[in-house]
Amino acid sequence: MDVVRAGRPGPRRVSAAAASTVSLSGVVMAQLAVGLLGALVVTSEYATSMIRTSLTVVPRRGLLLAAKTAVFTALALVAGEIVGFLSFFAGQAILRGQHVPYAELGQPHVARAVVGAGLYLAAVGLLGVAVGVLVRATAGAIAIVTAATFLIPAFTPALPDSLARFVGTYWPSMAGRQLMLVHHDPNLPAPWAGFALLLLSVAVGARGGVRGVQPPGRLRRAGASIQ
């Protein structure tokens, strides 16, 4: 089934890209919620001092973070894919009902964009986990995740041209969004390359966080010194 009923072949590809972008635009807003949930996976334990119990049960810092990350990744990935596919099908149904150009999964790069929406949300959630491990404070994690996923991309166009181009190209959350786009801008990272940049930032943050997590003995000594 063609996306555009009229016969001009040129706009057909553009219409598929535009229709997919409209459907998946809600994912950009959902990323903030997923990122904050990822941060809370870690910071909530510090807020309630349950981290002492966790580190007592699992003294190895890397193993503790790996277990948290694995559970959250599975949940975030499933939820992200559900959100991505529901957004796409609901959006295309609305466009089809309005008799305007719409996209289908069988078109080039459309399926990758829809699946990529779920992958992107999962990666942003992991970014939230990494930030939570680094700062170990809910307020600070919320501020950083909000700035990284929402504020900086929103204000990038207001920056000087050269700086805006650099940030728009290499800022992790903006580079990762390329995976959700049907039409690729040749001046920006390729979809999978941009997503890899996002994952690299997550890995760097998680690595730094693992080094910063204190074992239970040091936590007890720190608590005793405060008292």
Side-chain angles (χ1 to χ4, degrees):
M1 182 183 296
D2 289 336
V3 172
V4 182
R5 303 303 182 187
R8 291 182 299 174
R12 183 176 301 171
R13 187 166 53 223
V14 177
S15 298
S20 300
T21 300
V22 169
S23 292
L24 298 176
S25 59
V27 173
V28 177
M29 299 304 298
Q31 68 175 343
L32 184 57
V34 175
L36 295 182
L37 284 175
L40 288 173
V41 166
V42 178
T43 60
S44 60
E45 282 197 323
Y46 283 94
T48 59
S49 298
M50 285 298 295
I51 188 63
R52 300 182 181 182
T53 303
S54 297
L55 286 174
T56 300
V57 175
V58 186
R60 295 178 59 185
R61 294 170 288 179
L63 184 59
L64 174 63
L65 181 59
K68 287 177 175 290
T69 302
V71 173
F72 181 77
T73 299
L75 295 176
L77 182 58
V78 171
E81 294 298 344
I82 291 174
V83 170
F85 276 93
L86 285 180
S87 298
F88 176 78
F89 286 122
Q92 299 316 305
I94 293 173
L95 293 176
R96 188 183 299 113
Q98 296 296 320
H99 305 291
V100 296
Y102 61 90
E104 293 183 333
L105 286 177
Q107 292 179 273
H109 309 301
V110 173
R112 187 260 299 154
V114 177
V115 173
L119 293 174
Y120 175 76
L121 284 179
V124 170
L126 291 178
L127 180 64
V129 173
V131 170
V133 175
L134 278 171
V135 302
R136 303 192 293 276
T138 300
I142 290 176
I144 293 173
V145 171
T146 302
T149 61
F150 187 73
L151 294 181
I152 291 178
F155 286 100
T156 293
L159 298 174
D161 290 343
S162 59
L163 183 58
R165 284 195 297 270
F166 180 83
V167 174
T169 301
Y170 297 109
W171 187 253
S173 63
M174 299 179 74
R177 289 181 195 175
Q178 299 303 311
L179 195 60
M180 298 191 299
L181 300 180
V182 173
H183 174 69
H184 171 239
D185 186 340
N187 296 318
L188 297 176
W192 290 108
F195 186 67
L197 179 60
L198 175 58
L199 292 181
L200 178 62
S201 68
V202 171
V204 170
R207 179 64 176 172
V210 169
R211 292 181 178 273
V213 176
Q214 295 180 338
R218 291 181 61 186
L219 282 171
R220 287 193 294 267
R221 291 196 296 272
S225 63
I226 293 174
Q227 293 176 355

